[in-house]
Amino acid sequence: MNNDNALNANVGLKLRGLRLQRNIKQADAAKDLGVSPAYLNLIEKGKRVMPFPLLWKALRYLEQDPEQFMSTLGEGRVDEALAKLLDEPLLKSLDIDSESLQSLSAEPKLAGTVAALFNLYKNTRTQLENVLAQLNVEERTRTQGSPSGNGLGNTPGVRFDYSPFDEVSDFLEKHRNYFPELEEQAEGLRRDFRLEQQITSSQLTRMLEERFDYKVRIERANSGSSVVRRLDLDARTLTLSPDLTEQPLKFQIAASIGLMVMDREKLVERILGAGRMRHGETERLIKVNLANYFAGALMLPYSEFFREVQRTRYDVELLSNVFGTTYETVAHRICNLSDPKRQGIPFHFLRADIAGNISKRYSGTGIRFASGGGSCAKWAVHLAFLNPSQITRQYSIMPDGTTYFCFAKVQLQPIEGSIVKGTAYSIGLGTHAENAKYLAYGLPTNDLRKDAIPSGISCRFCERTDCNQRAAASYRFAFAFDEYTKKDCFFSPLLVHEKEKSERNGNPEPDGNGADGSEKHDSLDRAARRRKGSES
């Protein structure tokens, strides 16, 4: 463990030195490398393992030769780096033993070359994954057809799978989900109207009428309509559904006030700046997200909320009672605590339905989410539906070795006493495993690697070879199987040594010492002879 920490620190220190030599700001480097500044800062401090794909990308970005970089890490470091590389799931399938590893380690240049070639392969594989996603979207476009009926459709932008929702997620992560302009406006309104810790819908209604000269009406939508809130700028009215209970009612009024504040102060334009969005819908979606952010800031003021978060040790259920809001609202607000002077623990956020669809996501920990909304069935946010009345907690470990502590709770909102008519969502929060000790929901562990549940991003892009709940084959492996060998899941890739063992057990050599080399290397003919023998 000490060697691992020393290697991490050495790699991070060297990368930081290279960045400073080129006068590159940490924020700019993080943006170009596609990670958050906080994550890059932890890497440079040696507090995070540097994934090899990211290291390879960073070395190219800093115009550094991989072999030269590896040679500067100190005596014996190349060996350790190679050992970490061979721990990759893809290379595990080659069944390289310690003797072979020792032979490679004796040649530092060769070890560095192997590492460089493997990372080049992983980058190429990532590009292939993007091409597959593009082809999938193009196929859907052709299937749907175009207005002219030629069946070709309109070709999307350069990155076909990059939706407006992905662009909004990237925008929030770029700003670390913290907007001081909205915090100031919300705090000013709370101060002007002398609001207490818990606010009511009637107080927010008074604010709307006195400050913005709007009228609030409670009116059921037309038959067949599911609209719960409509803000009419011309008539200066806010119409709300009578089906809204107090907590969601407060949130909708607060979000409406946020829209009015942003329009009056032109906050969206100030926050977006001169940046150009790739999709026409993105700016409006960002405005919706900012209005919801404002609602959270108005109902859960930063200073008081931060103090209570520290006192309760991130007890989301208790916090929802203290402030009179929903579990989901508190979970969202916990992800906003990025004020440099009063900074909270970084979290990622997920909202999933019972079918496994992800409808909201935010990565404040550097965790990757698959495009398209899919995820891993081993995640706590999905398992929470098995015990909807309890908090589901777990440690999880990703294929690259990163560990997280995650917890989730199901939030039910029935309509007319029926969950089928209403909604059922699982709200999940996660942070790096070392932060679990600061949480009220934290689990004790003596061996994190043993207690953590092996998980991934999504089945299609998962590197795990031993998952018993795969729902699809991974693009990261060639789909191959042996009808005589059964793994615990059909879609798990069959490793080389697993197949060879099966063939050896079922096919004894023709002579005692197995001297017939041709039969060793002709598995197809051997399988055919085996089937023929069984028929006889």
Side-chain angles (χ1 to χ4, degrees), residues 136-258:
N136 184 43
V137 174
E138 287 182 323
E139 181 63 27
R140 282 204 308 267
T141 304
R142 283 194 295 268
T143 302
Q144 293 169 355
S146 65
S148 60
N150 58 13
L152 297 177
N154 297 320
T155 304
V158 176
R159 184 177 166 188
F160 297 107
D161 62 338
Y162 191 65
S163 72
F165 298 98
D166 294 324
E167 194 167 18
V168 171
S169 295
D170 290 343
F171 169 81
L172 295 177
E173 290 173 25
K174 175 184 176 182
H175 289 268
R176 300 179 64 198
N177 207 11
Y178 176 65
F179 301 95
E181 303 94 331
L182 299 179
E183 299 284 353
E184 292 172 7
Q185 292 290 335
E187 185 60 36
L189 282 175
R190 287 188 63 91
R191 186 170 53 250
D192 292 347
F193 284 84
R194 299 180 181 179
L195 298 179
E196 301 293 335
Q197 189 173 73
Q198 279 199 23
I199 60 178
T200 64
S201 59
S202 59
Q203 290 174 315
L204 292 173
T205 299
R206 182 170 64 88
M207 181 186 298
L208 197 66
E209 294 174 344
E210 294 182 6
R211 178 59 60 91
F212 301 97
D213 194 26
Y214 267 70
K215 297 296 181 183
V216 176
R217 296 191 306 180
I218 305 297
E219 185 178 292
R220 191 174 299 278
N222 295 331
S223 178
S225 173
S226 59
V227 174
V228 296
R229 182 197 75 196
R230 179 179 286 110
L231 192 63
D232 190 328
L233 302 181
D234 295 327
R236 303 185 71 81
T237 59
L238 172 63
T239 304
L240 297 162
S241 169
D243 293 329
L244 291 172
T245 56
E246 175 65 8
Q247 290 183 350
L249 178 63
K250 288 192 297 186
F251 187 88
Q252 294 303 328
I253 299 175
S256 300
I257 294 174

Side-chain angles (χ1 to χ4, degrees), residues 349-381:
F349 173 95
L350 283 169
R351 188 182 75 175
D353 63 22
I354 200 167
N357 302 304
I358 303 295
S359 53
K360 286 184 183 179
R361 65 188 187 190
Y362 167 72
S363 176
T365 60
I367 192 172
R368 292 170 51 211
F369 296 123
S371 60
S375 59
C376 177
K378 298 287 189 178
W379 286 0
V381 72

